[in-house]
Amino acid sequence: MALPGPVNRYLLLMAQEHLEFRLPEIKSLLSLFGGQFTNSQETYGKSPFWILSIPSEDIARNLMKRTVCAKSIFELWGHGKSPEELYNSLKNYPVEKMVPFLHSDSTYKIKIHTFNKTLTQEEKIKRIEALEFLPFEGKVNLKKPQHIFSILEDYGLDPNCIPENPHNIYFGRWIADGQRELIESYSVKKRHFIGNTSMDAGLSFIMANHGKVKENDIVFDPFVGTGGLLIASAHFGAYVYGTDIDYNTVHGLGKASRKNQKWRGPDENIRANLRQYGLEKYYLDVLVSDASKPSWRKGTYFDAVITDPPYGIRESTRRTGSQKEIPKGIEKCPESHVPVSLSYHLSDMFFDLLNFAAETLVLGGRLVYWLPVYTPEYTEEMVPWHPCLTLISNCEQKLSGRTSRRLITMEKVKGFENRDQYSHLLSDHFLPYQGHNSFREKYFSGVTKRIAKEEKSSQE
């Protein structure tokens, strides 16, 4: 698709981690702020340099207030595969677009950013001096300039084969940085209340961005655990709510997950986590509840459902059951007690989750969840399907050599009807995913084999 005029061209400098998650995050955020995703590259792949068309600088700034996948954004003034191409590109950029940032009353500095190569100070100065043809009339100020410009050079992705000359050179005006610092400031290592499966901070923010969480939304997590996903959503101004079947986790009781700490303290709970980050005002509540038997009245309550269901590895998959469902040979419990040890197949869990989201999300609301898969058997047809939800993105994160989990983002596109509740039984997607009910066995089978292999090699 052809780009509009040069004023709409921006260069994104992307972080080199969670590569599959970057494009869905940027697309979701542009959609959230009224932009439309268009690009001049066939595919972004692993490159950290993305050229985008964005309608306005305001949208570009809003994008950077949210993204954890992008480092910086620049208004792109020129681009070439050689210095000569870059200079010609800059000479063709409209002077009237440059003047507001180069006039005599302004201050500026020029920075050099290289990817996959380190330049000497002498080389950097030489590149800056070569831009003397640009109509800079202001004064250089290295400490507090009004405007920052950058030369960005791309030397490819192979650290073992660094070319003499860059593949691409870019020049642009710095607009804003992304939110990479959130990964450190919200690190689980510093968090007051954690569990065995507390979600990595960076991935939590990515999930909230995939879900297009915004101010005054109501976000729900049906497998809330220690509330890591609630924290990310609350940071973006959403009111958060969750449920979990584990009484001890919801109430912050029992054994601690931290090393050198046996029991949880009196104020180790989800509310305390939000208080730690100044987000307590966004905390609605968390309840002990069974996700397989939601107790909600019919209606649409949530703008986003964002969750990390248990896979049966570090956290068991459980649901409540009636006396009739208790296997033979197990002593019956008092009527006042409901056992929680019945198995809850992964396929049932995910179709319950899709039905719940289809019924309770507002139209246009998003469901974001992790789907564990056994890689050798995985096909896209295994991703659970629902007539009220459309698939937005499907990103992989490796867990081991043969297992991974996929971050699935879906959007509600039609109102829920009672007949939609069982539609998955008619879907071609249902039977293939049932095979993943044995994900736990396959996961530990791989772990056992790896341990045996390591022991054998250590004995040789």
Side-chain angles (χ1 to χ4, degrees):
M1 183 181 289
L3 287 170
V7 70
N8 287 324
R9 290 209 308 168
Y10 290 84
L11 178 71
L12 266 180
L13 176 61
M14 304 300 295
Q16 288 302 98
E17 66 176 5
H18 302 312
L19 300 188
E20 281 201 25
F21 302 83
R22 302 185 304 178
L23 188 57
E25 190 205 49
I26 298 301
K27 283 184 172 181
S28 295
L29 292 177
L30 281 176
S31 169
L32 179 62
F33 295 119
Q36 188 176 1
F37 184 85
T38 55
N39 66 290
S40 60
Q41 294 163 264
E42 287 299 316
T43 177
Y44 291 111
K46 296 179 180 179
S47 172
F49 299 101
W50 295 8
I51 298 175
L52 297 183
S53 174
I54 300 176
S56 70
E57 187 173 316
D58 283 343
I59 291 177
R61 289 183 183 278
N62 284 333
L63 171 68
M64 301 312 285
K65 287 176 183 175
R66 290 288 302 261
T67 176
V68 292
C69 289
K71 291 182 174 181
S72 304
I73 195 166
F74 307 84
E75 183 183 56
L76 188 62
W77 287 14
H79 167 222
K81 293 188 176 298
S82 66
E84 292 73 26
E85 277 190 23
L86 172 66
Y87 304 151
N88 287 332
S89 176
L90 284 169
K91 287 170 184 174
N92 289 326
Y93 192 79
V95 176
E96 64 271 18
K97 303 298 182 186
M98 296 184 180
V99 169
F101 310 102
L102 306 180
H103 58 79
S104 57
D105 293 333
S106 66
T107 59
Y108 72 94
K109 76 172 178 178
I110 299 175
K111 296 173 69 175
I112 308 285
H113 178 91
T114 56
F115 182 77
N116 198 26
K117 188 171 186 176
T118 302
L119 299 180
T120 64
Q121 190 64 21
E122 187 180 342
E123 288 172 321
K124 290 179 180 180
I125 292 171
K126 187 177 178 182
R127 283 159 169 73
I128 292 171
E129 289 176 344
L131 295 173
E132 283 181 344
F133 64 89
L134 290 174
F136 286 104
E137 294 183 8
K139 293 181 180 179
V140 173
N141 184 328
L142 299 180
K143 290 186 176 179
K144 290 186 177 180
Q146 290 173 301
H147 309 295
I148 300 172
F149 301 91
S150 288
I151 301 169
L152 302 102
E153 298 185 351
D154 179 10
Y155 288 87
L157 298 164
D158 188 354
N160 299 314
C161 184
I162 301 172
E164 182 68 27
N165 300 309
H167 298 316
N168 289 282
I169 314 173
Y170 309 89
F171 181 85
R173 178 175 64 92
W174 174 81
I175 302 295
D177 289 333
Q179 303 300 309
R180 298 288 296 164
E181 75 278 359
L182 293 179
I183 296 171
E184 178 62 26
S185 60
Y186 280 84
S187 170
V188 173
K189 293 177 183 177
K190 303 174 183 176
R191 194 165 298 167
H192 187 64
F193 175 46
I194 61 168
N196 294 331
T197 57
S198 292
M199 181 62 64
D200 167 81
L203 289 173
S204 298
F205 286 108
I206 287 172
M207 291 176 74
N209 284 335
H210 282 210
K212 295 171 66 172
V213 172
K214 61 185 184 301
E215 284 187 8
N216 298 320
D217 277 356
I218 298 180
V219 176
F220 179 69
D221 183 352
F223 303 96
V224 72
T226 55
L229 298 179
L230 301 191
I231 291 169
S233 296
H235 174 83
F236 293 134
Y239 293 92
V240 294
Y241 186 81
T243 59
D244 202 286
I245 200 170
D246 190 324
Y247 181 95
N248 283 346
T249 299
V250 169
H251 290 278
L253 304 173
K255 290 186 177 181
S257 297
R258 275 197 171 84
K259 192 177 179 182
N260 302 324
Q261 181 183 342
K262 190 171 183 181
W263 302 100
R264 287 174 176 146
D267 194 34
E268 283 193 56
N269 52 54
I270 295 171
R271 182 189 286 272
N273 273 350
L274 277 99
R275 188 185 307 128
Q276 177 183 354
Y277 300 109
L279 302 172
E280 190 176 3
K281 66 179 180 179
Y282 296 111
Y283 176 81
L284 296 178
D285 208 351
V286 291
L287 300 177
V288 179
S289 179
D290 180 358
S292 72
K293 297 179 177 66
S295 53
W296 300 89
R297 289 184 296 177
K298 290 190 182 298
T300 53
Y301 305 103
F302 308 120
D303 298 284
V305 174
I306 300 179
T307 192
D308 180 27
Y311 319 144
I313 298 172
R314 285 187 288 176
E315 297 289 348
S316 62
T317 55
R318 299 182 295 166
R319 66 181 179 88
T320 57
S322 67
Q323 296 289 347
K324 292 180 180 178
E325 295 174 286
I326 300 173
K328 288 182 180 179
I330 295 180
E331 186 179 343
K332 285 204 170 186
C333 304
E335 287 184 11
S336 61
H337 175 72
V338 181
V340 293
S341 58
L342 299 183
S343 61
Y344 191 15
H345 291 306
L346 284 179
S347 58
D348 294 335
M349 182 190 302
F350 288 110
F351 287 114
D352 283 348
L353 176 62
L354 264 64
N355 265 327
F356 176 79
E359 193 165 354
T360 58
L361 280 172
V362 300
L363 209 58
R366 287 195 169 184
L367 165 66
V368 184
Y369 71 96
W370 289 100
L371 182 77
V373 296
Y374 183 62
T375 315
E377 296 176 1
Y378 170 76
T379 63
E380 287 189 5
E381 286 71 30
M382 291 179 177
V383 178
W385 167 91
H386 197 283
C388 298
L389 305 169
T390 187
L391 183 66
I392 299 296
S393 61
N394 176 354
C395 312
E396 182 184 35
Q397 183 191 28
K398 291 281 188 184
L399 296 176
S400 68
R402 289 176 166 262
T403 59
S404 64
R405 59 180 183 176
R406 307 193 74 91
L407 185 61
I408 308 297
T409 301
M410 307 182 88
E411 189 170 294
K412 185 172 177 179
V413 292
K414 90 172 191 71
F416 182 84
E417 301 173 51
N418 286 333
R419 63 184 179 184
D420 295 326
Q421 188 170 353
Y422 303 104
S423 57
H424 64 275
L425 297 173
L426 305 174
S427 166
D428 293 337
H429 294 224
F430 183 63
L431 288 175
Y433 194 74
Q434 279 189 306
H436 282 254
N437 285 333
S438 55
F439 173 79
R440 184 178 187 277
E441 288 73 18
K442 291 169 182 173
Y443 176 87
F444 281 113
S445 169
V447 170
T448 305
K449 288 176 182 176
R450 187 177 73 248
I451 292 171
K453 188 176 180 181
E454 288 171 355
E455 288 177 349
K456 185 178 179 182
S457 60
S458 64
Q459 292 170 0
E460 291 175 351

